[in-house]
Structures are given as structure tokens and as C-alpha cells.
Amino acid sequence: MKTILWATLTGNGNYAQSSSNNPPKKEALGDFAAHAQAAGNFIVGRRTFEGMQASNGGGTFAGMDIVVVSASVKEIPGVTVVGSPREALSYLQDRGYQTALISGGADLHNAFLGQGLVDELIFNVAPVLEGKGLNLLIDTEKYQYKEVELLNFKSLGSGFIQLHYAIGH
Ligand SMILES: NC(=O)c1ccc[n+]([C@@H]2O[C@H](COP(=O)([O-])OP(=O)(O)OC[C@H]3O[C@@H](n4cnc5c(N)ncnc54)[C@H](OP(=O)(O)O)[C@@H]3O)[C@@H](O)[C@H]2O)c1
């Protein structure tokens, strides 16, 4: 099973964060929905999932296998809750998926990256700069730099650019 980390970045390379006064843009949301539909699933951190529930009630993702990663919560109605990134992958692997989509947020993305559990990256670069913020980090004890292979790039419209990379293992 292939794992794809999907994330929106700001033009100056930060990890994009949304809030009620800075909601996610339609280009990013539409692209996420398309990738989630194609995979049939997504893995999400407990905090981001709670944000999704608050903003759309989860209706957009009806019928999808949603896997919430949490060390503190054991059950959430309608989704599968697991205790670690590896458990999330084994759950989806056992269900026969070809692809697991890792949808964020920052803590969860960094847990997957830090444990070397990501095969491909999809970065949507938004036309915005952010003053201070979060970063995606690889296993900092093992690597200072890690080269990745550019598989594709395209415009998503309204100034959004998508970069698609493979991470060699
Ligand atoms: N740029 C993007 O593409 C993108 C995508 C999604 C979200 N976001 C943004 O990201 C922010 C939220 O991200 P966040 O970093 O605060 O939270 P998050 O990653 O969504 O969720 C963090 C929670 O997930 C659980 N978790 C994460 N790693 C774990 C691990 N290795 N083992 C067990 N549980 C683990 C923990 O839950 P418990 O506390 O329950 O143990 C942790 O508190 C928001 O600003 C949102 O807008 C951005």
C-alpha cells in the first residue's frame, strides 16, 4: 500500500493553518476531496478531525474510511480511532486499500514523516505568505537533507500550484 501525505503550504514554505477567520480555500478543499475520493480513505489527527466536524459535520466524506489517530480518545462514532500512525496503516492495509491518504494536521504529518512512513508528497502551495508558523520536519537525527523526486506539477487555479514528489526509502 502506498502512503501519500497531502498538505497545503504557504508561499514561504510554512505549513498552512486554517481557522474560522482564515478558512481553507476552495482550491485546497476541492483537491483534498478528489484525493480522498480516489483513495477511499484518509488518516487524520484528532485535532484536525474535530475541526472538520465543527466546520462541515463530516457530510462531504460520507462512505469514506476515516481513520483518526489519537493517544487520548478511544472511540468516535462513525470513524475508526487508532493509537498510532503504524496502526492506521495496518488497519487500511488489512482493508485492502491501494493508497492511504495522510491528511494532517502538522503533528500527525510530522509523526508519519519522522517515522519514515511516507512514500509520496502532495504539496499545494497557496499564494500567501505567513509571518510565523509551523513546518514539516523529517527525522532530524537521521537527515539534514533528503532528496525527493519531482513526479509532477500543475496549477490548481487562483494561484495555487501543486507539487507531487516521491520519497525514496
Ligand atoms: N496545511 C494542511 O494541509 C493542513 C491539513 C490539516 C490540518 N491543518 C492545520 O493543522 C492544524 C491542526 O494540526 P495539529 O498539529 O494541531 O493537530 P493534528 O495533527 O490534527 O492532531 C494532533 C493530535 O493527533 C494525535 N496524534 C498525532 N500524532 C500522533 C501519534 N504519533 N500517536 C498518537 N496520536 C497522535 C494526538 O491526539 P490526542 O491529543 O487525542 O492524543 C494529537 O494531539 C490546524 O491549524 C489545521 O488547520 C493543515
Side-chain angles (χ1 to χ4, degrees), residues 38-97:
N41 67 74
F42 63 89
I43 302 171
V44 60
R46 195 257 311 155
R47 285 202 289 268
T48 295
F49 182 69
E50 286 177 358
M52 285 169 128
Q53 278 187 312
S55 61
N56 76 4
T60 322
F61 304 114
M64 257 177 233
D65 235 323
I66 302 175
V67 184
V68 179
V69 183
S70 170
S72 69
V73 174
K74 299 294 167 222
E75 263 187 41
I76 303 174
V79 301
T80 302
V81 181
V82 298
S84 72
R86 282 180 201 279
E87 272 181 65
L89 294 181
S90 25
Y91 168 80
L92 292 174
Q93 177 102 49
D94 291 349
R95 305 264 294 170
Y97 288 102

Side-chain angles (χ1 to χ4, degrees), residues 17-30:
Q17 298 177 77
S18 53
S19 59
S20 49
N21 50 12
N22 178 35
K25 301 284 185 297
K26 70 174 185 355
E27 289 75 13
L29 284 176

